[in-house]
Structures are given as structure tokens and as C-alpha cells.
Amino acid sequence: MPIKHPNLKLNRLTDAVPAWTGDIAPEYLHEICQQVRDGGGRLVALWGSDVRQQGGGFMLHITLMNESGLVCLNVPLPVEHPNYPDISRIFPAANRMQRAAYDLLGLYAHEGHDHRKWLRHGAWHSGSFPLRKDFDAAASLTHEPEDYPFVQVEGQGVHEIPVGPVHAGIIEPGHFRFSIIGERVLRLEQHLGYVHKGIEKRFESMSLQQGARLAGRVSGDSTVAYAWAYAMAAECIAKVTPSSRALWLRALLLERERVANHLGDLGYLGNDVALSFGFAQFWILKEQVLRNNAALFGHRYLMDKIVPGSVTASLDVEGKHIIEQECDMLDEQVRILRNIYDEHAGVQDRFIGTGRVEPKLAAQLGLCGMAGRASAQAWDARVQFACAPYDKLDVKMATYRNGDVAARVIVRFDELFESLRLQREIMVNLVHDNEAPTLLEKLPANGFGIGLVEGWRGEVMVAIHTDAQGKLTRVHPHDPSWQNWPLLEHAVIDNIVPDFPLINKSFNLSYSGQDL
Amino acid sequence: MYQILKQIIKTGIKTETPPQADEGMRLIEQRLQQEILDVFGGALAIRQVDAGSCNGCELEIHAVNNAYYNIEGLGIKFVAGPRHADLLLVTGPVSRHMEVALKRTYDATPEPKLVVAIGDCACDGGIFGESYASCGKVSNVIPVDVVVQGCPPTPIAILQGILTAISAKK
Ligand code: SF4
């Protein structure tokens, strides 16, 4: 049992990862959060749901994590004033999630210190809430002008540089406001939400299998992680376990996604410090991985290969051989390139000490995933909560203490090599058969399930709630970028403006995954 | 430096030796280069606008810059602003929060301008469709010359889309 509290009764979920759920009244929320925090635990996600049709009011959901596993708290809130105590003083990462829960559902964190809108810009009225079941899209439409109260930095010689939402380059849109003095950054404030496209509402009109396609498009670079987390949540509700072949294939796809993304980022990180050689080389390698994906699995980014109940991919002996060869090739080539990066004085000069997040700050603010591990936050769901088949793989976690761009590069390299090792292990264990995938078509009524997968960026969580007919009534996908965006604001302080693209790239956070 | 040169030589020139599956690619490249010469006097400037995509389409737009597709070698450059762009490459369903920014980018692009909508979402709203938060397809917001389907479309399809747009311009 991960948390003990006299007013909390936890039930274990039948899940691939250790997870519990229980109801708690709002007045005990602080005590429980504080207990988890004091024990070194973290906030994973916060979202809300409208349960008025099931005879309730609203519900706040909070997923916490400690070394025993996940705890999903349900906090019932009244219809009239769905207020709950602010938890951002305990978990600072809650700030933006609470503001989003207000924008989308009208759940209000009282005593909070920041009530600015987050996901709502000017597309719908301030008094209307898209994820309420009685939301009227047509009547809520507005074209309110954009106004976001940025925090002003004052002082002699302080300048502001607003950037975005459309960036100079092929990047997702978002607004960054720098306050600078000379070339030095005093403060960065982000304003995101530009690519909010109503993903969560969309789920509510979809069948279980359609939802899998949508989950795979929350953040395109992490399609495997999302599709798996979604499938895991559905399988948790249905109490089914996919075949072991399907699970081995899922892990293979997830590691291939990690390799492709790390290769791409390592190339761009070279490019950002004027070593275009690095971009050229790493992107040749990435392209080879993508082509093998297309040849073996029918999609360069492996979209729609993981579905609730199973996988729609298979791999025969010849395919295994291709992957083994690819692993050998990458192993050799990446070693050469790593050596070049390590030996290149100009590259190291730009990487080392740039965009640093100290371990203490990382722990305090909840930095997670790959960037977290580069700042000594030793969490990796494949290690701590190893679901099958990771329980048989003994993943070696990559951690580093320096928290700078160089550290995030090192962690990427280490994880890349580890993913190659894992792929080889998976090849040994994966038996080929022509088993037809057993798809899960329907879920039991009034269910709740959760999936947690360590994607290349960090832990991706998907929660599914079903209604009295077993239909999707609420789906919440959570991207690790929620936690990490605020840390980027800290990482750039005291750096020079021209280093921002490099620092930003070293995190490579998702806009679409947090804007939803 | 020696290590870098050695690696460059060993890697060879990928663009001239595309793997077999990409023979069609060579034809597209040649035609593209010719059309760019004919229509734009040798260089085409592209402004990419993510108007609400899942970032999947961006991955493939990045890929057209790799050594296999080498879009820069064809005389195509991605530029940092709309004012010196010839063509807008727009992805995603247009989120309502990006509607104004997209229109502004379009208005700031000098005539004659071309718009290529990349990906199923940009073509018809895709999986996200139209909603309280999404305007759906790009042509609901700005005029579109060419649409490229796919989720995401392959780099070759993207190059083809650009070629189609500029050859229609003649
Ligand atoms: S077409 Fe597909 S890859 Fe492109 S933005 Fe839409 S969902 Fe993402």
C-alpha cells in the first residue's frame, strides 16, 4: 500500500503497473499530497471530469507516484462550487494543470496564487467549459482578443523580446517572452495553448479502437508511447493481458521510437552549435531507422501499431535479422559520432554549463523523464514499475548530475545504446507466429483504468473513464512536458539569448502534448 | 577534424545514391530543380507554419532536410519569416488559437504566393475534425493551392506537393 491515511481507502487496480485508486474528501487532500511529497514522491497528473450524469457533481483526479507505484485520487466536488484546495504549493508542477482544469471544466483551486487562464485563449467564453457534458460549442464561440497578463520585469536597461507563436524554423507554435539585460536572460515566461485542438473532447465521441488512433496523435513523436499507455488503460479496465508476443513487440516499437527521436535530437544539437556535420550524420542514421520501420511495420513512425488488446504488427525471422543488422550498424556509427562530439572543443564549450537545472531545483519543481535523469532525478518507469516485458529486461537507467545541455546529451547517448541492447534482447525472446490480433472492442461499464509508459521524453500517462454503457466518457492523456516546460524557464536564466535554441532543443518538449 | 573528415568520406554522398525504393525520387528531384529554375529563378523560399498539428507532419518536414532528400540542394530554403517567403507549408487542423496567426502569416507573405497543405489534418481536418477548438482544414482559413495527404505524408509526397504547386504556377 503506497499511502496510509485514515480517510483514504485504496483499491488496487488490475494493471500492468502497480496502481491504486481511492476517493478522498477535499479537506484531506493537502495531508495526502504532503505525505507523498515528504516521502520523495511526485505529482504525475491532474485532471477533472463531469460526473453529473452519474448522479454526482464534478470530480478532480490526481495521480501521484512514489516508489511503491501510482495512486489515483478521486476528489468529489459539488455541482455548485466545484472548488478544491490548491496543491501547487506542495507540487509546483500542479500550477498549469490546475489552470487547465479550470479552463476546461470550471474546477477552481481556491487559495491558489495564479488563476490566469492557461489553455483557453480567446476561442470560447470565460464562463463556458468545453469538457462539461452540457457544453454548447456554438453558443460558446467567441473571438475575444488575445490578452495574457505576462509578469512584467522592471529595472534599468531591461528589454522584452516577445517570440512566437509562429517560430523561425520548423517548430510547434508557442509564445515566449524574454526579459533581457544586454544579452543575458533575466526571465523567460511561456504562454502555451496555441495548438489546443480539443483532443479530450474528441475522445468522448469515439469508440475504443478509434480512440487508439487519436491517442497515437496527441504528440506525433511519441505515438508508440501514447498508444501503449492508452491500450494499457483499456486493458486495465477490461482486466485482460495481451499475449506475450504482443508485449514483446510493443517494447520493440517503443525502443525504436526512442532511438529515432534521440538520433534526431543529437543531430539537431550538433547543428545548433554550428556543427552541421552532426545533423547530416545523425539524420542519415535516423532515416535508415525510419525506412526499416516502414519496410517492417508499414509506418515510418509506427503509428497505429499498438491497439487495445494487441498489436497490428509482426516480425518474421528475416525482419529480426534486419533489426539486428541495424543495431550493429547504429552501435558502430553512433560510437564514432559520440567520440567526435566528445573531442570537439567547440561543441563541448557550448554544451557544458549551458542551460543548467540543478538537481535540487529539479526535485523541487518535479522535472521528469530524460531531462530529469540528466539532473539526477532517477525515475524511469521501465525500471521502477517495469510492466511486462520490461520485468524481464532489466533496463539500465541513465542518470547524470550536471543538469546542463551536456548532461542531456550524455543521457541521450546512454539511453540510445541501452535501447539498442534492449532491442537485441527482445529479438532473442520474440517468437514469430501468425497469431491473429485479439482486439479489445468494448469496455465494461463505469470503469477506470490507467496506463503509464516511459516514452523517449518521459513518462506518458493515459487515464480512461467509461460510462454506464462502457463508452469512453473521459480520456485524459498526460505528457511529461507539463512538468518540464516550467523548468525550461529556469534553465535559461542567466544564459545568453543566442543559446536559447540550443537549451530549448536539449529539452525538446512537446507543445501538442500539453496543449491538447 | 581528421575524425570528421574520415566519417564524411566513409558516409559518402547519400543524395546521389538513394536506395532502390526511391528511384521515383530522382525524377522528382530533377523536375523540382528545373521548375524552381524556371519559375523562381533558382531558389524557392518556404515558410513552414504549424497551425495545430500533432508534430507528426513536422517530423517529415524535418526529414526532407536530411541528406537523402536534401531539399536545400534543390534550391529550396526554409526561411524564418513570411516576408521573404514564396510558399507556405501549413500543417495541422487549424486550431482556433492559431487562426489569427495563420491569417497574419498569409497576409504578410508577398504575392505571388503559394500554399501547400501538408497532411490529412490540413487537407480535411483529419482525426481532429472541426470543433469548439479546431477550424478543421487549412482551406477553411486561407486559400490553399495544393493538398498533400498522408498521416504524416512521406518526404517524397511532400516534395511532390511542392513541385505540383510550383509547376502549376507557370
Ligand atoms: S496528418 Fe497525422 S501526422 Fe500530420 S498533424 Fe495530422 S495527425 Fe499529425
Side-chain angles (χ1 to χ4, degrees), chain B residues 75-145:
Chain B
I76 301 177
K77 250 186 36 205
F78 284 89
V79 292
R83 293 197 193 281
H84 34 261
D86 306 305
L87 185 151
L88 297 179
L89 210 54
V90 186
T91 62
V94 183
S95 73
R96 293 213 186 271
H97 294 166
M98 280 300 289
E99 191 181 347
V100 173
L102 177 61
K103 279 189 185 143
R104 282 198 188 135
T105 304
Y106 180 79
D107 292 340
T109 310
E111 297 278 2
K113 54 191 159 195
L114 293 163
V115 176
V116 179
I118 296 292
D120 287 351
C121 294
C123 296
D124 59 17
I127 194 158
F128 306 106
E130 286 177 35
S131 72
Y132 75 94
S134 165
C135 306
K137 60 184 175 187
V138 175
S139 64
N140 285 347
V141 179
I142 57 169
V144 168
D145 297 281

Side-chain angles (χ1 to χ4, degrees), chain B residues 15-48:
Chain B
T15 325
E16 286 187 356
T17 53
Q20 269 221 304
D22 282 315
E23 266 311 303
M25 166 82 199
R26 214 196 294 270
L27 296 176
I28 298 171
E29 278 183 3
Q30 277 163 6
R31 278 196 51 206
L32 245 176
Q33 210 148 21
Q34 198 52 48
E35 298 281 350
I36 292 169
L37 265 177
D38 295 350
V39 186
F40 291 91
L44 177 74
I46 296 184
R47 178 85 182 106
Q48 198 263 330

Side-chain angles (χ1 to χ4, degrees), chain A residues 132-439:
Chain A
R132 289 193 177 182
K133 295 293 177 189
D134 53 5
F135 174 71
D136 181 342
S140 311
L141 198 66
T142 71
H143 284 92
E144 277 178 29
E146 185 58 43
D147 62 325
Y148 184 77
F150 285 96
V151 175
Q152 302 291 327
V153 178
E154 281 166 13
Q156 217 184 358
V158 178
H159 290 271
E160 260 190 5
I161 319 178
V163 179
V166 185
H167 294 306
I170 306 161
I171 325 178
E172 297 180 84
H175 186 98
F176 296 124
R177 185 154 303 199
F178 295 91
S179 301
I180 59 158
I181 192 151
E183 279 219 307
R184 196 162 58 87
V185 180
L186 292 179
R187 183 188 166 88
L188 161 65
E189 191 173 353
Q190 299 149 358
H191 181 215
L192 305 178
Y194 285 92
V195 286
H196 176 73
K197 45 195 172 283
I199 290 177
E200 290 175 287
K201 190 79 177 174
R202 196 80 179 161
F203 273 116
E204 294 172 14
S205 61
M206 288 185 154
S207 71
L208 181 63
Q209 292 291 340
Q210 286 169 334
R213 295 192 70 238
L214 182 57
R217 286 158 180 81
V218 170
S219 174
D221 55 37
S222 302
T223 180
V224 175
Y226 273 97
W228 191 351
Y230 176 87
M232 195 187 285
E235 289 150 11
C236 168
I237 299 177
K239 298 189 168 52
V240 297
T241 310
S243 70
S244 92
R245 173 187 153 276
L247 292 171
W248 282 113
L249 277 165
R250 285 180 181 182
L252 176 68
L253 302 178
L254 186 68
E255 296 311 320
R256 294 184 66 73
E257 178 166 276
R258 193 180 324 277
V259 167
N261 279 291
H262 283 352
L263 287 171
D265 281 353
L266 287 166
Y268 266 114
L269 285 161
N271 210 43
D272 281 342
V273 295
L275 185 67
S276 56
F277 161 85
F279 173 79
Q281 292 283 330
F282 276 108
W283 278 71
I284 287 170
L285 301 179
K286 179 173 181 181
E287 180 68 21
Q288 290 172 357
V289 173
L290 299 178
R291 285 181 182 196
N292 281 343
N293 282 347
L296 296 171
F297 306 109
H299 196 283
R300 281 161 61 89
Y301 299 92
L302 307 167
M303 279 178 169
D304 310 322
K305 298 296 142 192
I306 296 182
V307 293
S310 190
V311 291
T312 57
S314 67
L315 192 67
D316 57 17
V317 180
E318 216 175 300
K320 277 177 154 183
H321 189 59
I322 291 173
I323 289 185
E324 278 156 2
Q325 279 180 329
E326 180 202 277
C327 288
D328 291 345
M329 179 278 291
L330 288 177
D331 208 306
E332 187 198 329
Q333 294 295 309
V334 176
R335 252 170 241 286
I336 295 172
L337 296 175
R338 182 177 201 170
N339 217 12
I340 290 173
Y341 272 31
D342 284 349
E343 308 276 292
H344 195 289
V347 167
Q348 291 305 317
D349 184 51
R350 294 282 307 279
F351 283 179
I352 294 173
T354 307
R356 172 167 285 167
V357 179
E358 299 281 354
K360 192 161 162 244
L361 186 69
Q364 200 184 333
L365 300 189
L367 188 69
C368 69
M370 182 270 301
R373 290 189 287 277
S375 290
Q377 303 309 299
W379 294 89
D380 185 327
R382 297 173 300 164
V383 177
Q384 275 111 344
F385 315 119
C387 66
Y390 286 103
D391 52 349
K392 296 177 205 76
L393 282 170
D394 197 15
V395 175
K396 189 160 161 279
M397 193 188 323
T399 55
Y400 211 69
R401 292 198 59 82
N402 274 5
D404 51 4
V405 173
R408 290 184 282 277
V409 168
I410 290 171
V411 169
R412 276 184 174 86
F413 271 119
D414 288 352
E415 292 191 349
L416 208 161
F417 286 118
E418 178 67 357
S419 288
L420 298 179
R421 184 187 75 79
L422 294 172
Q423 285 191 58
R424 291 196 185 99
E425 288 247 338
I426 294 168
M427 290 305 114
V428 175
N429 287 281
L430 186 65
V431 265
H432 175 62
D433 55 30
N434 290 320
E435 153 197 318
T438 38
L439 302 192

